Amino acid sequence: MPRELKVVDPVPLSLEEYVARLDEAGFDPSDERSLINAAELLAGLAANRTFLGDILIEELGCDRSAPEATAYGPQAIMLRPPANGYFLRANIWPARGDPAFQSSGAGSFVYGLPHDHNFDFLTVGYFGPGYVSDYYEYDYESVAGEVGEQVDLRFVERSALSEGRVLHYRAHRDVHCQHPPESLSVSLNICAASPAQGWFDQYQFDLDRGAIAGVLNASANEVMLRLGVALGQEDALALAAEYADHHPSAAMRRVAGELIPPHS
């Protein structure tokens, strides 16, 4: 399951202080010192009990027609757009009895959708009891990524992201199935951001069958290749054949192989 990083008595930080310190030190989740530093900073931001509410109130008073006011959604609030290898966001998790859940349904908030991630990230419980997760682990290198492929999912535990709890979700290893919190909750995330991430699959899993149920992150290149082949473009079919044999991305090789007719 995600690794828990203990932070004792974090010093409250403003969002500006957090960004400045993380930009200065950098965020490399493969480096232990960088990971610990980022966890301490994230805990410091979470210890600031007013910054997020202040931001939301300020945004509500802004001109919503302004072009720059586009990073805010119904669940995810972008606090720092991708830069220097990371981005920061706040996620809002409604409870079953909240109007947002009742009107939009569980799927709108990724509840009940077992999945992994194709990037590392740190998360901390900021407000409320926190969403509950069933945690699993698996070996990404052992799977080809085919829908229906059997996967050795190993159940670890069920637990909640309580206030102040910092977890490190490891790319292509940690799988979780989230469930609504007992009451409205908020988490903060530092997410690694790399141009290479788009070439690696993120999977949805079928826990009952222990299998891959789907790929969640179709890339723009995959979509264009599928469209080209579907439209009957001979060049697209030839490109799919080439990609199936030689593309450096395993995900693209698999997709291209699916597009080649059996007789080709």
Side-chain angles (χ1 to χ4, degrees):
M1 65 166 287
R3 175 188 175 193
E4 184 166 0
L5 301 173
K6 300 285 188 180
V7 181
V8 180
D9 297 328
V11 178
L13 296 173
S14 69
L15 179 59
E16 293 74 19
E17 289 172 325
Y18 156 84
V19 169
R21 293 190 186 186
L22 193 58
D23 281 349
E24 180 180 2
F27 177 48
D28 179 2
S30 66
D31 180 88
E32 182 69 8
R33 288 182 298 179
S34 178
L35 190 66
I36 296 300
N37 178 67
E40 291 175 348
L41 293 177
L42 185 62
L45 184 62
N48 183 334
R49 307 307 298 160
T50 62
F51 91 95
L52 186 58
D54 291 342
I55 288 175
L56 295 177
I57 294 299
E58 182 180 351
E59 286 298 313
L60 287 172
C62 287
D63 178 7
R64 303 309 294 171
S65 65
E68 63 272 14
T70 58
Y72 291 79
Q75 182 188 21
I77 302 169
M78 188 69 74
L79 301 174
R80 163 65 184 265
N84 296 332
Y86 77 94
F87 63 91
L88 175 70
R89 67 187 178 193
N91 286 335
I92 300 172
W93 305 99
R96 292 187 185 277
D98 290 334
F101 182 98
Q102 295 180 347
S103 62
S104 300
S108 298
F109 303 98
V110 204
Y111 294 144
L113 180 74
H115 63 282
D116 67 350
H117 300 86
N118 62 343
F119 56 91
D120 283 76
F121 70 95
L122 294 173
T123 188
V124 63
Y126 181 67
F127 174 81
Y131 63 77
V132 175
S133 282
D134 293 321
Y135 288 111
Y136 301 79
E137 293 182 6
Y138 83 112
D139 180 9
Y140 179 82
E141 298 297 332
S142 69
V143 302
E146 303 287 347
V147 174
E149 179 182 359
Q150 295 295 301
V151 178
D152 181 22
L153 289 170
R154 301 176 294 279
F155 177 74
V156 181
E157 71 170 33
R158 169 178 283 201
S159 62
L161 184 66
S162 54
E163 288 185 13
R165 189 184 189 198
V166 181
L167 298 178
H168 171 210
Y169 282 79
R170 299 162 294 181
H172 309 303
R173 180 172 175 178
D174 294 314
V175 174
H176 70 150
C177 181
Q178 294 164 280
H179 307 287
E182 294 182 2
S183 61
L184 182 72
S185 299
V186 179
S187 62
L188 306 178
N189 295 344
I190 301 174
C191 304
S194 165
Q197 288 169 197
W199 296 111
F200 295 94
D201 285 334
Q202 179 186 13
Y203 299 127
Q204 176 183 346
F205 298 93
D206 183 328
L207 297 179
D208 293 332
R209 296 174 53 233
I212 293 175
V215 178
L216 297 176
N217 65 321
S219 69
N221 290 326
E222 172 187 335
V223 172
M224 288 189 289
L225 185 62
R226 289 186 183 276
L227 284 173
V229 172
L231 291 171
Q233 297 292 327
E234 292 185 6
D235 289 346
L237 189 59
L239 189 61
E242 179 182 346
Y243 279 3
D245 291 333
H246 304 297
H247 200 281
S249 165
M252 183 57 82
R253 290 197 302 271
R254 185 198 69 250
V255 169
E258 295 172 355
L259 298 175
I260 301 173
H263 60 274
S264 296

